[in-house]
Amino acid sequence: AEGVVVAIDGPSGSGKSSTAKGVATARGLWYLDTGAMYRAMTWWMQHHRIDVDDAAAVAEAAGRPDITMGTDPAAPTVHVDGRDVAREIRTQEVTAKVSAVSAVPAVRERLVDEQRGTIAQARRRAGGIVVEGRDITTIVAPDASVKIYLTASAEARAHRRSGEVQGSDVAAIQADLARRDLLDSSREDSPLTQTAEALELETTGLGLDEVVAIVVALIDRAV
Ligand code: C5P
C-alpha cells in the first residue's frame, strides 16, 4: 500500500516542528525536518571555513558533506559526516546564515533530491511520513496527501521561540524571525509561498494538542 505523505510549510516559529513530530508520533509515521538539513549544510560550510556569503563557493561545495537524518519522531537525529550536530545546528551562528546558504540553487537541488528519496522510502517501508519546511507543499511533495500552511502571529511565534532559546529577548527574536521570513519568502529559487492547494492553519490561540488533533483528522479524511 502507498503510504501517506503530510507536507507542512510555514514561516519560522509557526510550530511546524512540534506539530509535525506530534502528528508523526500519533500516526506512527516517519518525520523529516528539512530545515535541519539546510542548517546541517550551513554548519558544515562554516566548519570548513567556506565563505557562506559567496554563492559560487557554496554551490561548489554543496555536494561534499554527507548529511544523514534519523526519521523517528520521538528522537530525530542529524549527522554530518558521521558527527552528531543536533546542538551545533541551533546556534546563532548557523541561524544567522542558513537563509543565505538555502538560497543557493545547487544546495536546494541536492537536498530536495534527498528529501524525495526519504519520502519514497517512507512510502514503501513505513506507513508514510510527515515532512516540514518551506517548499514541501510546492516543490518537494506537491502531490502530498495532506498539505498544510501553518501560521501564527509574529508575537506568538517569537514567544514560542523564546521559550526554546535560553536567556533570550523576545523583541530580538521577533526581529530575527522577520529577517529570516523576508529572506526565505523573497529568494528566487523555491521561496516560502502560501498556495491555494495548502490548507491554512492559524494556530495563534491554539495549544499544540489541538493543532495535532486537527492535522490527524485531516489525515484520516484524506486516506
Ligand atoms: O525550519 P528552520 O527554521 O529550522 O529552517 C531553517 C532555514 O532553512 C529556513 O530559514 C530556510 O532558510 C531554510 N529552509 C528552506 N527550505 C526548507 C526548510 C528550511 O529553505 N524546506
Side-chain angles (χ1 to χ4, degrees):
E2 285 281 278
V4 66
V5 177
V6 181
I8 304 180
D9 286 328
S12 309
S14 57
K16 295 187 302 291
S17 294
S18 311
T19 302
K21 279 188 272 193
V23 169
T25 302
R27 277 294 172 267
L29 305 173
W30 287 9
Y31 162 68
L32 184 63
D33 175 359
T34 64
M37 298 173 76
Y38 290 96
R39 287 173 178 275
M41 179 70 82
T42 303
W43 174 81
W44 183 91
M45 298 272 171
Q46 292 173 330
H47 189 69
H48 286 81
R49 304 275 178 268
I50 288 160
D51 177 3
V52 292
D53 292 314
D54 178 349
V58 168
E60 194 180 288
R64 287 172 55 200
D66 175 56
I67 298 171
T68 309
M69 306 299 293
T71 56
D72 175 357
T77 56
V78 195
H79 288 85
V80 178
D81 296 338
R83 169 171 170 174
D84 177 353
V85 293
R87 236 171 338 169
E88 288 83 342
I89 65 168
R90 304 292 162 191
T91 60
Q92 195 40 50
E93 197 187 356
V94 168
T95 300
K97 288 299 176 186
V98 62
S99 293
V101 171
S102 73
V104 175
V107 168
R108 305 205 67 81
E109 207 177 306
R110 181 201 152 172
L111 293 182
V112 166
D113 234 46
E114 294 183 5
Q115 290 154 14
R116 288 180 178 150
T118 301
I119 292 169
Q121 252 185 38
R123 285 192 128 129
R124 279 185 267 110
R125 308 222 306 248
I129 189 166
V130 184
V131 188
E132 55 134 320
R134 303 292 187 293
D135 61 341
I136 313 305
T137 64
T138 54
I139 305 287
V140 176
D143 57 347
S145 342
V146 176
K147 286 181 269 187
I148 292 161
Y149 190 88
L150 215 61
T151 61
S153 72
E155 293 77 16
R157 295 193 283 116
H159 267 105
R160 286 176 190 166
R161 195 43 67 87
S162 74
E164 296 163 9
V165 185
Q166 284 220 331
S168 53
D169 133 39
V170 179
I173 290 185
Q174 191 171 328
D176 185 61
L177 294 183
R179 177 191 66 82
R180 248 182 335 127
D181 290 345
L182 179 64
L183 291 174
D184 294 341
S185 310
S186 61
R187 70 179 173 226
E188 193 89 9
D189 187 354
S190 317
L192 169 66
T193 30
Q194 184 171 7
T195 65
E197 292 89 77
L199 183 95
E200 177 175 348
L201 192 46
E202 221 290 336
T203 67
T204 302
L206 300 177
L208 176 61
D209 290 356
E210 295 172 288
V211 180
V212 168
I214 291 168
V215 178
V216 167
L218 289 169
I219 296 174
D220 292 344
R221 214 178 59 182
V223 295

